[in-house]
Amino acid sequence: MSSSTELNRLTIADAAALLHKREISSAELTRVCLDRIAAVEPQLNAFITVTQKAALEQADAADRRIKGGDAPPLCGIPLGIKDIYATKGATTTCASKILSNFVPPFDATVIAKLRGEGAVFVGKTNMDEFAMGSSTENSAFGPTKNPHDLTRVAGGSSGGSAAAVAAGECLGALGTDTGGSIREPASFCGVTGIKPTYSRVSRYGVVAYASSLDQVGPFAKTVRDAAILLRALAGHDPHDSTCSARPVPDYERALTGDVSGLRIGVPKEYFVAGMDPTVERAVREALKCYEAMGAKLVDITLPHTSYAIACYYLVATAEASANLARYDGIRYGVRAAAEDMISLYEMTRAQGFGAEVKRRIMLGTFALSAGYYDAYYLKAMKVRTLIRRDFDCAFEDCDVIVTPVAPTTAFKLGEKMNDPLTMYLSDIFTISVNLAGLPGLAIPCGYDANGLPIGMQIIGAPFAEETILRTGDAFERSGAVIPRRPAL
Amino acid sequence: MAEKKITLEQVRHVARLARIDLYPDDEERLRTDMDQILSYVDKLGELDVNGIEPTVQVGESGAPMRSDEVTNSPNAEAMLANAPVRHRGYFKVPKIIE
């Protein structure tokens, strides 16, 4: 390499090739990422914890393994890990005060898999507390800034991971997506992110928010890199009873560049008044590009789209209220001083949880409480069926569905913090995908007048990750949009 | 002003159920926020869901059974390492029985 300071700009695929040819070492690559972290973190705040020492040890081990031959594709690749994953021996806070001192005694399944591959973990990335938010402003450790404009949000909840990849602090990263938490920050930061089909990837060791919606997924610079990461993450896990036993395809092989004859569904409900016209224009241009490549556009309808957010905020908060009952200050985490048991619980949770987490626990508890269960929670679960059926019907007429990821580009820090409902509405185009359990890919498809990235969402039928990755990769290859590096 | 979806008294009741001590300033703020969100979710009432089965889980595996066997090795020290307060091999809590 001519300039080692640019190693952090490599794709995973290119870095792996250079590592395997031993033209670069993982130690070298990891140091460049750590230097970049040291340089930009004061402005960006994408990481809660930087695991410098462990990363350099992992890098050395990876170099030895590569030297021995037969190293897996991710061996020696520096990654950022959302602070929602249990990492043995490294603090896992979930961006909450209540877990600020928690050091897990075990690894999440996907972390163990990545360790097995020889990947390098540079640190734990910032997020909205317990993955509840769309801007990473709900972190107990301060917001992550958007690398394209430091006065704007990185998106959320996996904002730290998206910003870290965009800023070149690591080559790829892990996020989680319950209502858009991978796709929306990917869109805002101009990187690629995929939420796989529900059950495709194990959730064991991932701090639970809404268990019927949560899914693990990667961030990367390219669709190919996302495919490489997803292959390493996916697959059956006896520790997660919901995890699918289907064999994991070699996603990279699906990237043929060929979309001729592909039927692309365009739902009218996702191109609505009130959305940023620049966003609409960019997605429409991308659709034209697909047509030019031989794909066929099909008008479809997803009639229950406007009910998705209401449905989500009952289902997700109900599940959250149950999942977060475990934070009681007894076995781990921070405990408040109190004279009796009930006060201990109440004070610990009052001091340990932030405002949004309290709001969602309260809402979920209310939706499940005596006299309201049928009207709120049961009704929402029935509406969820209607939303799923919309997609089942649509996929009879098309192979993928293309929409914007979000109605706008990255908004200003603080802009929506005092209005929870407005914040919730930023997930309007991503939330249905979680309710239906479908895979969704976010890729950059343009920039607005301020140079802020615009994201396009490609939705597939259950387990159609290969199709949506192929669709995204074909657009990337078309060269219609040249990814821009943040000036940072 | 439309009818309140949730009263201050209900907010206090829910907070007790959720074991969260609310600061006085938080109560009215939470009530207003919850009221706004509950008014919004009311739009689900526009839909007729008679005869529609609820979706509890979207996975393909349903709820698979496994044999009831211990698969991990006991490691009490690792489990206790994060305890805020411990006493020998126990998690320590305030007195429960007078």
Side-chain angles (χ1 to χ4, degrees):
Chain A
M1 290 302 288
S2 52
S3 164
S4 71
T5 55
E6 292 289 297
L7 290 182
N8 57 328
R9 297 298 178 181
L10 291 170
T11 63
I12 291 172
D14 289 344
L18 292 171
L19 284 167
H20 289 261
K21 283 189 271 180
R22 297 181 55 202
E23 289 183 19
I24 61 169
S25 69
S26 175
E28 203 182 340
L29 178 60
T30 301
R31 267 192 214 100
V32 172
C33 289
L34 291 169
D35 288 349
R36 177 71 177 159
I37 288 172
V40 298
E41 272 306 289
Q43 292 158 279
L44 212 54
N45 199 31
F47 285 86
I48 292 175
T49 308
V50 179
T51 50
Q52 173 150 346
K53 189 167 168 281
L56 290 170
E57 285 167 9
Q58 285 178 304
D60 285 338
D63 283 330
R64 285 193 296 276
R65 195 163 162 191
I66 293 166
K67 202 172 166 184
D70 200 32
L74 291 172
C75 192
I77 302 292
L79 301 176
I81 306 296
K82 187 177 183 180
D83 209 17
I84 197 168
Y85 291 92
T87 44
K88 190 173 181 175
T91 313
T92 298
T93 70
C94 228
S96 183
K97 264 193 233 169
I98 212 163
L99 284 178
S100 53
N101 59 0
F102 176 61
V103 182
F106 73 112
D107 273 331
T109 293
V110 290
I111 296 300
K113 282 186 176 197
L114 291 174
R115 273 195 216 280
E117 289 253 326
V120 173
F121 306 144
V122 292
K124 305 295 293 289
T125 59
N126 202 3
M127 52 183 285
D128 285 297
E129 183 181 4
F130 286 104
M132 298 180 186
S134 312
S135 68
T136 312
E137 291 170 290
N138 296 328
S139 167
F141 304 95
T144 295
K145 317 283 172 56
N146 191 310
H148 292 272
D149 178 347
L150 296 169
T151 67
R152 291 176 187 273
V153 301
S157 68
S158 315
S161 288
V165 172
E169 296 178 290
C170 47
L171 273 61
L174 288 194
T176 58
D177 191 317
T178 305
S181 283
I182 289 174
R183 292 159 288 155
E184 188 238 25
S187 173
F188 283 7
C189 292
V191 296
T192 295
I194 182 168
K195 180 206 100 71
T197 306
Y198 183 83
S199 82
R200 181 66 288 188
V201 182
S202 166
R203 292 179 293 111
Y204 177 71
V206 183
V207 176
Y209 158 26
S211 304
S212 81
L213 301 161
D214 296 343
Q215 188 57 203
V216 166
F219 288 93
K221 295 189 190 107
T222 63
V223 174
R224 180 168 301 274
D225 283 2
I228 293 169
L229 285 166
L230 180 59
R231 189 186 182 194
L233 301 172
H236 181 60
D237 177 15
H239 292 307
D240 176 358
S241 68
T242 63
C243 192
S244 171
R246 287 187 188 221
V248 178
D250 180 350
Y251 295 111
E252 225 187 325
R253 286 185 61 179
L255 310 182
T256 60
D258 181 11
V259 290
S260 57
L262 184 82
R263 297 171 303 163
I264 298 179
V266 184
K268 63 171 190 237
E269 293 83 1
Y270 284 63
F271 296 88
V272 289
M275 69 186 290
D276 182 342
T278 326
V279 171
E280 173 163 5
R281 206 175 310 131
V283 177
R284 297 254 184 227
E285 284 298 319
L287 288 169
K288 275 187 209 159
C289 176
Y290 278 120
E291 263 190 313
M293 289 190 283
K296 190 172 174 291
L297 304 188
V298 185
D299 288 328
I300 58 163
T301 174
L302 298 165
H304 295 96
T305 298
S306 66
Y307 300 97
I309 291 199
C311 175
Y312 175 89
Y313 278 95
L314 291 169
V315 171
T317 59
E319 293 185 21
S321 74
N323 273 328
L324 272 66
R326 73 191 66 175
Y327 304 104
D328 57 4
I330 304 298
R331 290 147 300 149
Y332 47 79
V334 173
R335 177 191 290 193
E339 293 296 309
D340 65 278
M341 207 55 200
I342 300 293
S343 308
L344 187 154
Y345 294 144
E346 291 180 338
M347 303 293 284
T348 292
R349 290 161 67 80
Q351 294 169 23
F353 291 139
E356 181 61 25
V357 172
K358 286 180 190 170
R359 194 147 49 217
R360 294 199 196 188
I361 291 174
M362 290 285 291
L363 196 62
T365 305
F366 181 67
L368 291 175
S369 66
Y372 296 95
Y373 180 93
D374 284 4
Y376 289 117
Y377 183 59
L378 186 62
K379 175 110 194 186
M381 289 200 297
K382 290 179 175 179
V383 173
R384 189 174 179 182
T385 303
L386 298 176
I387 290 167
R388 288 177 66 189
R389 285 185 189 168
D390 281 359
F391 284 101
D392 289 346
C393 286
F395 281 118
E396 287 176 14
D397 300 318
C398 63
D399 305 304
V400 298
I401 296 171
V402 169
T403 75
V405 174
T408 65
T409 52
F411 45 88
K412 290 270 186 188
L413 287 155
E415 188 181 323
K416 302 187 182 184
M417 276 307 272
N418 292 319
D419 186 354
L421 192 55
T422 308
M423 185 72 93
Y424 297 173
L425 293 170
S426 31
D427 294 330
I428 191 158
F429 297 149
T430 47
I431 251 168
S432 301
V433 172
N434 298 79
L435 290 167
L438 304 173
L441 173 69
I443 61 168
C445 73
Y447 294 84
D448 73 6
N450 298 317
L452 297 170
I454 299 168
M456 164 166 72
Q457 174 173 237
I458 305 168
I459 305 167
F463 298 97
E465 280 82 2
E466 288 168 286
T467 314
I468 61 173
L469 289 164
R470 174 163 60 92
T471 308
D473 173 66
F475 182 76
E476 212 175 77
R477 286 188 200 209
S478 77
V481 170
I482 309 297
R484 295 184 201 168
R485 258 186 220 181
L488 184 76
Chain B
M1 183 72 196
E3 190 192 342
K4 280 182 183 176
K5 293 283 164 199
I6 187 163
T7 64
L8 217 45
E9 199 37 56
Q10 283 175 302
V11 168
R12 290 181 189 129
H13 172 67
V14 172
R16 277 192 297 273
L17 293 177
R19 294 277 186 261
I20 297 174
D21 182 51
L22 293 185
Y23 307 118
D25 289 355
D26 287 352
E27 290 180 347
E28 182 50 38
R29 178 72 220 235
L30 259 173
R31 200 208 64 75
T32 314
D33 289 345
M34 290 174 75
D35 200 74
Q36 188 197 13
I37 298 163
L38 290 169
S39 301
Y40 176 79
V41 304
D42 252 7
K43 68 185 291 164
L44 297 185
E46 295 164 12
L47 295 171
D48 179 6
V49 291
N50 262 327
I52 305 286
E53 283 296 307
T55 294
V56 180
Q57 186 70 291
V58 287
E60 57 175 5
S61 47
M65 304 293 279
R66 62 167 172 79
S67 52
D68 185 17
E69 287 164 5
V70 176
T71 53
N72 60 323
S73 49
N75 185 349
E77 193 44 49
M79 296 305 117
L80 283 158
N82 279 293
V85 187
R86 59 184 283 190
H87 178 71
R88 297 195 186 116
Y90 300 98
F91 296 104
K92 195 173 175 185
V93 296
K95 197 172 181 180
I96 294 169
I97 302 162
E98 288 302 328

